[in-house]
Amino acid sequence: MVPHLVTALTGPINELEQRILESTPVIERWFRLEWMEHTPPFYSSVDVRNAGFKLAPVDTNLYPGGWNHLTPEMLPLAVQAAMAAIEKICPEAKNLLLVPESTTDTFYLSNLAQLQRIFYMAGLNVRLGSLSNDIKSPRTIELPGGDKVTLEPLLRSKRRLGLKNFDPCTILLNNDLSAGVPGILEDLHEQYLLPPLHGGWGTRRKSHHFKAYEEVSKRFGKLLGMDPWLINPMFSQCGEVDFNADEGLECLRSSTDALLGKIRRKYKEYGINEKPFVVVKADNGTGGMGILTVRDAKDIDNLSAKTKARMAVGQAGQEVHEVIIQEGVLTNERINSAVAEPVVYMMDRYVVGGFYRVHATRGVDENLNAPGSSFVPLAFEQSAQLPQPGVKPGASVPNRFYMYGVIGRLAMLAASYELEATDPDAEVYE
């Protein structure tokens, strides 16, 4: 099912696509050199928004679920990428422990079944170790479609984590640690824990990520001779906000006003006749919670009690005191007339696939990661890694997906910078 792009596909996005396609060898060499200096996250997914005049990431997840939404055609890419990732970390590995979220949601468990399948085909014994206190003995859960998963209780020795009769070389978290880091995962000195604990939402901040992405987009813009704004959502941050007590809202109001002014100037520069908006969201956490679309700074003064209560609590029931104010990026893509946005999936440094997040009742300027969303696999007739040079911009689906993959990898590179900068164990040189 190929997406319908509502825009006439003229203007900056086509110029950007043309520039990227013409620069493919330069881009791929640039990424190759970057990965010689930096370690990519083990796996990641990136929400991308295509406004027709701008293409930018709006969220980067270091603990991606949703692997079950990838098509069977994408599986070989994922398996090859998994082999490459494991080879770099623990070449002799035979056991992989996967630590999931504490939920019995069947959609999420289907994601675990797909991850198990990928790593099994990459040559690993994979078992699931649950952090939930409810799992006291192995529990097998049957899933729609015939899959099943078995959750087992974790066992901790002084320096290692495993399961009964299962000692893994590598532990892969598929749990974003929104509620903080459980003690059972700390002080492991003889095993590889991926992603690192400081990548969890207990410590990670979106503002750190987008600061790193801003740096990456400037360097990439210079490489291609283009305005980095075309691929970068501007943002600001407020760190002392209490929605329940009406504290810190002045920072939110002034930051929103300033950012809307910057967006207006950019829209004027490019002759864009759209109304600018910003998206206010918790600086940590995902799950589509605590998100507010604002078109006028005055709206901050008139937030309803219900909206404030919704904004005050994030994922895992955590209180929200830090927010990021991000330039809103419209989405002009549709699947069967419903608003859609691409989500790009990566493992190691490779794009392995993705899907469209689709929401029938949301608008082009709203968050689609909300109840009621559905998922349509990206129609990879050819790989996103195989652009078609010489094809007119906007006319080729593989070319458009290649562009999504470039943006996804830029966000992944930013995540690499971010993890290095926030590593508590990194040596600091004066």
Side-chain angles (χ1 to χ4, degrees):
M1 200 181 301
V2 174
H4 172 56
L5 302 174
V6 170
T7 49
L9 284 174
T10 56
I13 207 74
N14 270 349
E15 291 170 26
L16 177 62
E17 183 176 320
Q18 188 75 40
R19 187 77 54 89
I20 284 176
L21 291 170
E22 288 170 353
S23 308
T24 298
V26 174
I27 290 170
E28 295 305 325
R29 177 178 182 271
W30 184 78
F31 274 123
R32 193 163 63 245
L33 295 175
E34 286 292 324
W35 296 131
M36 289 172 71
E37 299 290 328
H38 305 280
T39 303
F42 186 83
Y43 56 5
S44 54
S45 68
V46 177
D47 296 356
V48 178
R49 303 273 285 205
N50 178 3
F53 54 84
K54 177 171 185 146
L55 183 74
V58 293
D59 212 354
T60 301
N61 189 355
L62 299 183
Y63 303 84
W67 289 90
N68 49 313
H69 300 307
L70 303 189
T71 63
E73 290 79 19
M74 298 174 191
L75 215 53
L77 285 173
V79 171
Q80 284 183 315
M83 286 176 172
I86 290 292
E87 201 173 296
K88 284 198 295 195
I89 294 153
C90 188
E92 70 280 8
K94 63 178 182 179
N95 293 335
L96 176 75
L97 175 62
L98 188 56
V99 179
E101 301 277 351
S102 297
T103 176
T104 52
D105 175 78
T106 53
F107 283 108
Y108 176 73
L109 295 179
S110 296
N111 149 72
L112 297 180
Q114 180 80 312
L115 276 173
Q116 276 193 292
R117 189 176 294 115
I118 289 167
F119 289 110
Y120 177 82
M121 292 166 75
L124 292 162
N125 301 313
V126 189
R127 285 163 66 177
L128 303 174
S130 176
L131 290 164
S132 172
N133 293 326
D134 297 335
I135 305 292
K136 309 225 184 278
S137 60
R139 181 189 298 176
T140 299
I141 301 170
E142 304 278 344
L143 300 173
D147 278 333
K148 59 184 178 182
V149 293
T150 301
L151 300 171
E152 301 181 62
L154 290 166
L155 293 177
R156 175 69 196 254
S157 65
K158 189 175 179 185
R159 299 174 76 84
R160 294 183 77 83
L161 183 67
L163 307 172
K164 188 176 181 182
N165 302 320
F166 189 76
D167 185 32
C169 154
T170 303
I171 299 159
L172 179 62
L173 295 177
N174 196 242
N175 179 319
D176 62 19
L177 308 177
S178 290
V181 178
I184 197 168
L185 297 178
E186 295 182 315
D187 300 319
L188 292 170
H189 299 294
E190 297 178 351
Q191 290 167 305
Y192 295 95
L193 183 65
L194 302 163
L197 292 178
H198 69 281
W201 285 123
T203 50
R204 187 179 178 222
R205 295 293 179 268
K206 293 182 182 185
S207 52
H208 292 160
H209 174 75
F210 281 101
K211 188 172 189 303
Y213 184 80
E214 186 175 46
E215 181 189 337
V216 168
S217 65
K218 282 178 181 171
R219 295 183 54 222
F220 188 77
K222 191 174 179 183
L223 180 77
L224 265 60
M226 52 167 263
D227 182 354
W229 176 76
L230 294 172
I231 58 169
N232 177 40
M234 297 185 288
F235 76 96
S236 58
Q237 192 256 7
C238 287
E240 295 292 332
V241 177
D242 188 332
F243 287 97
N244 287 325
D246 282 353
E247 292 174 2
L249 296 189
E250 181 50 44
C251 170
L252 189 52
R253 189 186 190 285
S254 59
S255 297
T256 296
D257 199 36
L259 190 52
L260 283 169
K262 285 183 184 175
I263 302 168
R264 275 187 211 102
R265 286 191 289 277
K266 276 295 181 184
Y267 278 18
K268 188 175 180 185
E269 180 185 337
Y270 282 96
I272 295 161
N273 296 315
E274 298 283 353
K275 187 170 175 59
F277 67 100
V278 300
V279 177
V280 179
K281 47 191 173 182
D283 204 8
N284 62 327
T286 54
M289 299 181 70
I291 294 177
L292 181 66
T293 299
V294 182
R295 295 168 189 82
D296 190 317
K298 294 194 197 77
D299 296 346
I300 302 292
D301 300 328
N302 303 315
L303 295 178
S304 67
K306 184 178 177 183
T307 299
K308 288 177 185 175
R310 181 170 57 81
M311 293 296 294
V313 181
Q315 199 169 0
Q318 301 298 299
E319 290 185 7
V320 173
H321 293 298
E322 299 170 74
V323 296
I324 181 172
I325 304 103
Q326 190 177 62
E327 175 188 353
V329 182
L330 298 164
T331 180
N332 271 304
E333 303 202 28
R334 299 281 190 281
I335 300 273
N336 292 344
S337 79
V339 175
E341 66 186 9
V343 186
V344 178
Y345 270 60
M346 290 159 290
M347 192 173 292
D348 193 58
R349 59 195 178 95
Y350 305 102
V351 175
V352 297
F355 53 81
Y356 277 96
R357 183 183 286 120
V358 185
H359 207 299
T361 62
R362 292 278 167 129
V364 295
D365 59 353
E366 291 185 287
N367 166 51
L368 304 188
N369 186 9
S373 62
S374 58
F375 307 95
V376 177
L378 285 175
F380 277 175
E381 291 160 3
Q382 288 109 359
S383 166
Q385 292 292 99
L386 294 177
Q388 297 176 331
V391 175
K392 183 181 169 190
S396 164
V397 172
N399 282 354
R400 183 54 47 90
F401 291 155
Y402 175 72
M403 195 160 69
Y404 293 161
V406 169
I407 298 298
R409 285 184 289 163
L410 290 173
M412 174 170 59
L413 180 59
S416 172
Y417 285 22
E418 171 200 358
L419 288 172
E420 288 169 13
T422 56
D423 185 352
D425 299 323
E427 294 184 35
V428 178
Y429 297 96
E430 294 297 333

